[in-house]
Amino acid sequence: MHLDSAFTGDDARFGARRRRQLREAFERALHLTRDRKADAFCVAGDLYEDAYAGKDTAEYLRRCLAEIAPTRVFLAPGNHDPFAPTSVYGQMHPLPSNVTLFDERTFRPERLADGLTLWGMGQTSALDHARALGGFACTGSGTHLLLFHGSDQEHMPPGKETIAPFSDMEISRAGAAHAMVGHFHGKLQGPHYAYPGSPEPLNISQDGEHTASIITVGDGAVNVAFEPLNSTRYVVADLDVSPYADSSSLESAIKERLASIVTSPGAIFCRLRLVGAAAPSLDPDLLTMRSEIREAYPGCDLVADFAAFDLDAIQHEGNTVRAAFVRETRSRMAAASSAAEREELATALKLGLLAFARKRLHQ
Ligand SMILES: [Mn+2]
């Protein structure tokens, strides 16, 4: 959940709105629990952000979780909400009678039904790099489920911190039929585990699926289904500036493009990248455009990643490889025997110049 996430870099009102959206997603998960008549509601860590959450969140969680009684609730703290007596979990004391908190770094059993045991483990520090299972094995007969926060070491998303690593094989070796795990923000399923993903994406890099996983156990078999939970999403889109020779036509194209993508402002967050080779005449006021966009479309942004070329100037810039490339390609274009060949050379010219400028090659 990452309740109370700071959303740094955006204005304060935007952050407050995003935090409200996180609570709404949490409440959708609780409603889903009730709608499906689930026997238990499990959270595999990072329910809130310890650095920003306080008393208000403690009371909010206590009230919401008590409201779904007699449905049982199981909480397994992660790296952003490690258990400590002074933590928000500690401030929720006394916990509602339907809530179980796994507040130790060792797996502890809770009996869910005849022949069905849930083993939960909680983190107690923010940077826990020890193995999640560390040789743990379930004891007793019946079906065993696990609940914890950790990293499948074989499927690390780029830039993600390795917290409490595990492998799928360790889960099956421990004798568990399935592990409900948290930490990765996009849905990911292995043979013996599932990350449902964060209920809402928190930033532009989180473009995966954001769900609740619904675990059904019968006759020793575990079935895993996923239900989408997010109401917000991040989108990256490219706009090629090369057809626009003046700033007004580019501005109209930007507005049209954003309007088509951001169909619900405040819930869709678009980063529009301006790419390609700009006409030498193009001189857009990006600073003003960017601030206007942020007003009309909260959380959206405009990124200038285009290059501008004046072919005549480049051709005469001196004894450079780039000047020779432009001269040669232009003379071949003049001598081209068909429109298709000319078109191909024009593309080569554009891509070549983008490469010289170390820009992304965009046609
Ligand atoms: Mn985490």
Side-chain angles (χ1 to χ4, degrees):
M1 283 306 320
H2 285 263
L3 295 175
D4 297 307
S5 191
F7 296 100
T8 48
D10 291 295
D11 70 72
R13 214 161 46 131
F14 177 74
R17 273 203 215 114
R18 291 294 281 125
R19 284 187 285 280
R20 195 195 302 144
Q21 287 167 333
L22 295 186
R23 283 193 176 188
E24 287 165 358
F26 180 62
E27 289 159 33
R28 279 198 298 279
L30 293 171
H31 284 138
L32 187 65
T33 305
R34 201 177 280 173
D35 282 356
R36 297 299 173 86
K37 300 184 170 59
D39 297 300
F41 175 73
C42 300
V43 181
D46 289 359
L47 175 55
Y48 59 83
E49 293 214 348
D50 191 58
Y52 307 107
K55 261 270 169 230
D56 189 277
T57 297
E59 284 308 315
Y60 170 76
L61 289 171
R62 239 158 60 89
R63 175 176 64 78
C64 290
L65 296 176
E67 277 170 7
I68 64 163
T71 303
R72 298 184 69 185
V73 173
F74 297 95
L75 307 174
N79 60 309
H80 282 278
D81 57 350
F83 177 75
T86 52
S87 66
V88 167
Y89 288 125
Q91 292 171 45
M92 286 167 67
H93 191 78
L95 288 169
S97 59
N98 61 322
V99 177
T100 300
L101 177 66
F102 293 111
D103 55 6
E104 292 164 323
R105 184 56 172 86
T106 52
F107 282 91
R108 202 174 75 206
E110 286 285 334
R111 188 185 155 278
L112 293 183
D114 279 342
L116 181 59
T117 309
L118 172 69
W119 297 81
M121 175 271 277
Q123 276 158 34
T124 52
S125 66
L127 291 171
D128 184 336
H129 300 306
R131 297 204 70 80
L133 280 88
F136 162 75
C138 306
T139 54
S141 58
T143 304
H144 299 279
L145 301 176
L146 306 183
L147 177 69
F148 66 93
H149 195 82
S151 313
D152 172 5
Q153 63 190 37
E154 281 143 32
H155 295 93
M156 288 303 296
K160 189 79 183 167
E161 176 114 35
T162 306
I163 294 293
F166 68 90
S167 67
D168 190 88
M169 200 194 280
E170 282 176 299
I171 296 168
S172 60
R173 236 187 250 147
H178 179 79
M180 294 174 274
V181 287
H183 188 49
F184 296 174
H185 285 209
K187 186 189 107 181
L188 178 68
Q189 186 176 16
H192 298 93
Y193 72 82
Y195 289 96
S198 55
E200 292 286 358
L202 298 182
N203 63 52
I204 198 107
S205 71
Q206 298 173 11
D207 56 354
E209 283 181 70
H210 303 275
T211 73
S213 65
I214 299 171
I215 313 297
T216 313
V217 185
D219 296 330
V222 176
N223 182 268
V224 185
F226 300 92
E227 190 82 25
L229 265 188
N230 60 306
S231 70
T232 65
R233 62 194 166 88
Y234 288 82
V235 180
V236 179
D238 286 350
L239 179 71
D240 182 6
V241 300
S242 56
Y244 310 103
D246 69 281
S247 57
S248 297
S249 62
L250 175 64
E251 206 170 309
S252 303
I254 289 170
K255 282 182 180 161
E256 202 175 298
R257 190 68 188 282
L258 274 174
S260 76
I261 295 169
V262 188
T263 46
S264 50
I268 298 172
F269 312 115
C270 177
R271 175 180 292 167
L272 190 60
R273 294 188 297 206
L274 303 180
V275 297
S281 55
L282 187 67
D283 185 21
D285 180 357
L286 292 175
L287 222 59
T288 304
M289 249 191 269
R290 188 175 289 136
S291 77
E292 283 173 358
I293 283 169
R294 287 182 160 193
E295 246 168 66
Y297 301 107
C300 292
D301 200 10
L302 195 62
V303 178
D305 196 21
F306 59 85
F309 305 112
D310 182 335
L311 294 182
D312 291 329
I314 292 170
Q315 199 170 325
H316 298 105
E317 70 187 2
N319 194 17
T320 68
V321 175
R322 188 168 79 149
F325 167 70
V326 170
R327 266 197 308 276
E328 171 72 18
T329 312
R330 283 180 117 182
S331 79
R332 284 198 202 181
M333 280 170 77
S337 54
S338 70
E341 191 188 345
R342 225 176 347 263
E343 180 97 353
E344 199 167 30
L345 285 162
T347 302
L349 182 60
K350 193 170 85 176
L351 293 180
L353 287 171
L354 285 172
F356 274 115
R358 296 176 191 277
K359 295 283 179 179
R360 287 184 316 114
L361 302 187
H362 181 90
Q363 291 207 34

